[in-house]
Amino acid sequence: GASLRGFESHPRRVSSRVHVLTPPMPLRAVGLAALLAVAGAGLIVAGSAARLPVALSIVGWILLAGAVGLCIVAATTWRKMRVRVELTDDGYVIDGPDAHEEGRWEDVTKLTQSPTTLVIHHGPDHRVRLVSQRGVTAELIHLTGDLVRRLDASRGYSSQL
């Protein structure tokens, strides 16, 4: 058969890594749900054990359902507030609850950092901010290290001595 010289059957493999910044756990909502569940269960048990009016048991079931509903809403909201950062050899893609940003390393002019915020600068006017709402976390440290390594590599800087 004929051979195709200079033809790549597979595109260049780009290594990528996904980092996920998660918001703090909704502890107040979970605590309130626990209180509602205990109060609801208490009313249900007391209502049947002491032969109290059925209305108390109904209120207990409503409180219990409210607790479950609150847990579902808190968990769903917590998941939606995550920020997904994918770093590749060529650039980055950031997907959050209210924003989608992407950029190429060659367009990044500067990277600045405070303890909980990374700012990717694209010239003097465009900035992409990544904020860790949970403070300094292992994921933020890994993300920062990976981002710096990839930015350095795109500039031809070697990470080896």
Side-chain angles (χ1 to χ4, degrees), residues 24-38 63-78:
M25 288 292 293
L27 295 179
R28 272 190 234 135
V30 172
L32 180 59
L35 285 174
L36 288 174
V38 168
L63 289 176
L64 207 51
V68 170
L70 184 57
C71 281
I72 291 169
V73 168
T76 304
T77 303
W78 180 75

Side-chain angles (χ1 to χ4, degrees), residues 14-47:
V14 176
S15 79
S16 76
R17 174 138 188 235
V18 174
H19 300 270
V20 179
L21 297 176
T22 55
M25 288 292 293
L27 295 179
R28 272 190 234 135
V30 172
L32 180 59
L35 285 174
L36 288 174
V38 168
L43 284 175
I44 294 166
V45 169

Side-chain angles (χ1 to χ4, degrees), residues 133-144:
Q133 297 173 340
R134 290 178 38 213
V136 179
T137 61
E139 190 55 48
L140 180 64
I141 292 167
H142 293 303
L143 168 62
T144 303

Side-chain angles (χ1 to χ4, degrees), residues 84-105:
R84 183 182 181 277
V85 182
E86 181 177 3
L87 303 178
T88 67
D89 294 338
D90 298 323
Y92 62 88
V93 177
I94 300 169
D95 284 305
D98 52 0
H100 172 85
E101 291 276 355
E102 50 187 282
R104 298 181 55 77
W105 298 129

